[in-house]
Amino acid sequence: MRNILLLLLLSFSFLTNSEAQDTITVEKIWKDYRFLSKRIPGFNFMQDGRHYTRLIKNSIKQFDLTTGSEVNTLLDGNELKGQSGFIGKIDSYHFNEDESIIILESDKESIYRRSSQAYFHIYDRTDKKLTSVRAGDKIMYATLSPDATKIAYVWQNNLYYRDLDSGETYPITTDGVTNKIINGSADWVYEEEFSFAQAFFWSADSQTVAYYKFDETAVPEFTMTKFNNELYPEYVTFKYPKVGEKNAIVSIHTYNLSGKKHRTYDLGKDTDIYIPRIKWTNSSEQLMIYKMNRHQNELELILADTKSGSTKSLLKETSKYYIDITDDIRFLKNDKQFIWSSEKSGYNHLYLYGLNGKQEAQLTHGDYDVTSFYGVDEKNKMIFYQAAAKSSLQREVYR
């Protein structure tokens, strides 16, 4: 007891001295970010398993994993200024699968918590050529197809794709209207409730795009005052459903590029629902759709056949209180099974299911939660995951 009292006195003394040295104010917290925790900027690990890249002083630098030493400059943003309308500053970047192409994002502008728009450029590392995805316009979520021959994006509430070989741009949707119809981008509710903003996804064969459509027509509008440190404020009006008000009506669609064919999937008569995730299986003809009630305690997995347009219910889960939506699902290479994360036992565990909806095995067991699912080694029939098996205060990695 004596030691505990001594520790409390020392802690109080430390806090008192710290406050005297640096008084806490709102400005210091939110304007100067003086108390923001220090972080190491993100690492982009390369496919060779030997190197990683980082954006440093507007250049993409390559480092050796074993030594930490810089070995190369892959791209200097300053040298590209003026090419294809590039402003010269790289906000972020990512590679395609074989790292032959770099997607550059510049002059990024936040919209809500996760959504943003920016200028996007494609840099071909082979021919050293820089190309604007959409010249002169800020767009959203520019995403390469898996074969890197096309890039899809959202502009003014519509979904487009650009053929990189021909340079031609094609609309996937044409009915997008501000504060009415959104294609390929999440509305405010989905950004907050389900933590995603991009709402379109390429199939593995690069021939089909699956996307969300949000019909906000009946959603009430809210006007927000933005002062911007100016004499006169700016008024921004957007669709914002408060508790009990109407949400957007959400539907799921696919567009096949070669056949120029749209499909809409039947998810039942009730439109007051959530669709917190859609996921392509390894097949480019099957799309998994998560359907949830508005109370968020009933979840149904629906498998859509993108070739025929048919749907079938695979499994349903219910909770007395709430079902947490995660990205812990993996489709196996045999196109017949998937691994699913569920709290149905009272703890979060991993299960093996067939694509017929039948549970084949429970993969993890015990009075603890699996807190992250890292992946599958199918050859050696192993899974890798994180769990709080020993204590809720710590995490361990298991296989």
Side-chain angles (χ1 to χ4, degrees):
M1 187 68 180
R2 183 178 178 182
N3 290 337
I4 294 174
L5 288 172
L6 181 59
L7 181 61
L8 288 172
L9 287 170
L10 288 171
S11 299
F12 178 75
S13 174
F14 172 76
L15 290 171
T16 304
N17 291 335
S18 298
E19 187 176 357
Q21 293 170 6
D22 196 356
T23 304
I24 298 174
T25 65
V26 172
E27 287 76 14
K28 288 177 182 178
I29 296 172
W30 295 115
K31 184 180 179 181
D32 303 333
Y33 297 105
R34 187 174 300 181
F35 306 105
L36 192 69
S37 58
K38 302 293 184 183
R39 297 184 180 185
I40 299 174
F43 295 87
N44 293 277
F45 294 100
M46 303 195 75
Q47 295 288 357
D48 62 6
R50 178 66 185 260
H51 298 94
Y52 66 90
T53 63
R54 287 180 59 195
L55 181 62
I56 299 176
K57 295 182 179 179
N58 208 36
S59 293
I60 301 173
K61 303 286 188 178
Q62 184 182 40
F63 295 83
D64 189 308
L65 269 169
T66 61
T67 65
S69 301
E70 180 184 330
V71 296
N72 194 12
T73 297
L74 299 185
L75 186 65
D76 186 342
N78 300 305
E79 295 179 354
L80 299 176
K81 187 174 182 179
Q83 295 184 35
S84 298
F86 183 62
I87 64 172
K89 185 177 184 301
I90 303 171
D91 286 344
S92 64
Y93 69 95
H94 63 272
F95 295 93
N96 68 326
E97 189 171 350
D98 67 5
E99 298 170 343
S100 62
I101 291 175
I102 307 176
I103 304 297
L104 302 178
E105 188 175 1
S106 59
D107 200 17
K108 185 176 181 180
E109 177 186 344
S110 293
I111 300 173
Y112 299 128
R113 186 195 299 261
R114 294 176 176 84
S115 54
S116 62
Q117 60 182 5
Y119 298 115
F120 284 87
H121 287 78
I122 300 170
Y123 181 76
D124 190 313
R125 295 178 64 197
T126 303
D127 61 15
K128 312 296 183 184
K129 183 181 178 182
L130 186 71
T131 306
S132 174
V133 177
R134 189 178 183 99
D137 290 318
K138 286 188 176 183
I139 58 177
M140 304 168 74
Y141 322 125
T143 305
L144 279 171
S145 59
D147 65 4
T149 63
K150 296 169 282 289
I151 189 164
Y153 61 88
V154 174
W155 180 62
Q156 295 186 346
N157 285 25
N158 279 312
L159 192 57
Y160 297 82
Y161 79 93
R162 178 186 175 113
D163 187 301
L164 299 184
D165 293 328
S166 67
E168 295 294 323
T169 297
Y170 303 93
I172 294 176
T173 66
T174 56
D175 60 342
V177 179
T178 300
N179 284 343
K180 188 174 181 180
I181 301 292
I182 308 173
N183 293 290
S185 178
D187 72 347
W188 182 90
V189 172
Y190 275 60
E191 282 197 41
E192 292 299 315
E193 293 284 342
F194 303 116
S195 304
F196 73 92
Q198 179 176 328
F200 69 87
F201 309 93
W202 284 101
S203 62
D205 66 0
S206 303
Q207 288 301 307
T208 306
V209 177
Y211 65 96
Y212 284 70
K213 184 186 294 288
F214 292 83
D215 185 342
E216 297 186 297
T217 305
V219 178
E221 291 185 342
F222 180 84
T223 298
M224 180 175 67
T225 304
K226 295 180 70 176
F227 291 94
N228 300 324
N229 292 320
E230 300 292 338
L231 187 61
Y232 293 95
E234 173 189 3
Y235 298 101
V236 179
T237 299
F238 58 99
K239 295 289 185 169
Y240 179 84
K242 294 191 177 184
V243 176
E245 296 291 343
K246 290 185 177 180
N247 279 336
I249 297 174
V250 186
S251 53
I252 300 300
H253 308 260
T254 54
Y255 178 76
N256 182 266
L257 277 58
S258 57
K260 298 181 180 180
K261 186 175 182 61
H262 286 271
R263 287 198 185 279
T264 302
Y265 297 93
D266 183 6
L267 302 177
K269 294 182 180 179
D270 185 8
T271 58
D272 193 19
I273 59 171
Y274 291 122
I275 306 173
R277 296 286 186 274
I278 60 174
K279 302 279 187 181
W280 284 102
T281 69
N282 291 323
S283 165
S284 295
E285 295 180 357
Q286 290 183 313
L287 183 70
M288 188 76 82
I289 302 171
Y290 296 37
K291 176 184 172 183
M292 180 173 262
N293 65 335
R294 187 160 177 175
H295 190 64
Q296 298 185 45
N297 66 342
E298 296 177 2
L299 175 66
E300 181 180 9
L301 291 190
I302 298 172
L303 189 65
D305 186 311
T306 62
K307 192 172 183 179
S308 67
S310 63
T311 59
K312 66 177 180 179
S313 177
L314 287 191
L315 66 88
K316 296 180 180 181
E317 290 193 3
T318 60
S319 169
K320 187 177 179 180
Y321 306 106
Y322 171 78
I323 294 176
D324 188 25
I325 296 297
T326 70
D327 289 311
D328 287 346
I329 188 170
R330 298 290 191 282
F331 297 99
L332 302 190
K333 294 176 182 177
N334 59 19
D335 285 333
K336 296 179 181 178
Q337 297 169 305
F338 64 96
I339 295 174
W340 173 246
S341 169
S342 173
E343 295 179 333
K344 63 182 180 179
S345 69
Y347 293 93
N348 192 51
H349 281 294
L350 300 174
Y351 299 83
L352 180 66
Y353 275 86
L355 278 174
N356 56 7
K358 293 182 179 179
Q359 180 181 317
E360 297 181 5
Q362 182 173 344
L363 303 178
T364 60
H365 304 263
D367 295 342
Y368 64 87
D369 286 309
V370 172
T371 47
S372 289
F373 178 30
Y374 295 127
V376 187
D377 178 351
E378 294 190 43
K379 182 179 178 180
N380 295 303
K381 297 185 178 180
M382 288 192 295
I383 59 172
F384 296 82
Y385 62 96
Q386 180 195 96
K390 296 180 179 180
S391 166
S392 60
L393 302 178
Q394 68 184 58
R395 300 290 184 268
E396 310 87 36
V397 176
Y398 294 88
R399 71 175 183 183

